[in-house]
Amino acid sequence: MKRSRTAGAIVAALALSLIVVPATAVRAAPADPFRVVDPQRWANPDHMTWDDYVPVPGADRPATGSVRNFRIALVTLDYPDQPFVVTQAPHSTVFGNPQPSASGIARADVPAFYRDFLNTPGALNRGHTLHA
């Protein structure tokens, strides 16, 4: 009989500890259970201007990598039923492209346009290239 009372006391103590521990944990919770843990701060790119541009921290302007260099190939597709957007009149596509600053480019000049736009700092790319 003593064994059953001891076992009963142990079971009761365990049951009580299971009830007390969660109650204590609930009391330790923050006062506002709907507090935003990870606030999202973003801007719609459609509403951004060059004034919103923030340079990449630690970005280096030289055209050499800090560890190694990469050769990048840009492959464009020329569809027979769709001209390159930059060869068209300003705002002529359903998306309002091309912009006036990059429109009406002759078809023969398209490869050089993209090569220079992506690799050579200039007014159109505001000095930003694939490297910086």
Side-chain angles (χ1 to χ4, degrees):
M1 192 80 121
K2 283 188 177 184
R3 280 189 179 170
S4 64
R5 283 187 187 175
T6 305
I10 292 174
V11 169
L14 285 173
L16 183 61
S17 69
L18 291 175
I19 294 170
V20 171
V21 171
T24 306
V26 170
R27 274 185 248 140
D32 182 8
F34 301 106
R35 176 179 58 92
V36 177
V37 177
D38 183 18
Q40 301 298 304
R41 293 183 186 93
W42 62 279
N44 187 334
D46 290 342
H47 304 138
M48 297 175 79
T49 67
W50 276 101
D51 294 332
D52 297 311
Y53 176 75
V54 178
V56 177
D60 198 1
R61 283 268 178 212
T64 56
S66 60
V67 177
R68 63 182 176 165
N69 293 318
F70 292 94
R71 291 189 163 265
I72 299 170
L74 174 65
V75 179
T76 60
L77 302 176
D78 192 2
Y79 295 101
D81 62 339
Q82 177 66 46
F84 282 102
V85 172
V86 295
T87 64
Q88 299 178 42
H91 308 291
S92 59
T93 69
V94 296
F95 301 108
N97 290 316
Q99 299 302 306
S101 57
S103 63
I105 296 170
R107 170 61 185 90
D109 297 334
V110 169
F113 167 78
Y114 279 111
R115 180 196 63 226
D116 294 342
F117 177 72
L118 297 171
N119 296 303
T120 306
L124 185 59
N125 62 19
R126 300 206 179 203
H128 299 282
T129 64
L130 287 173
H131 254 295

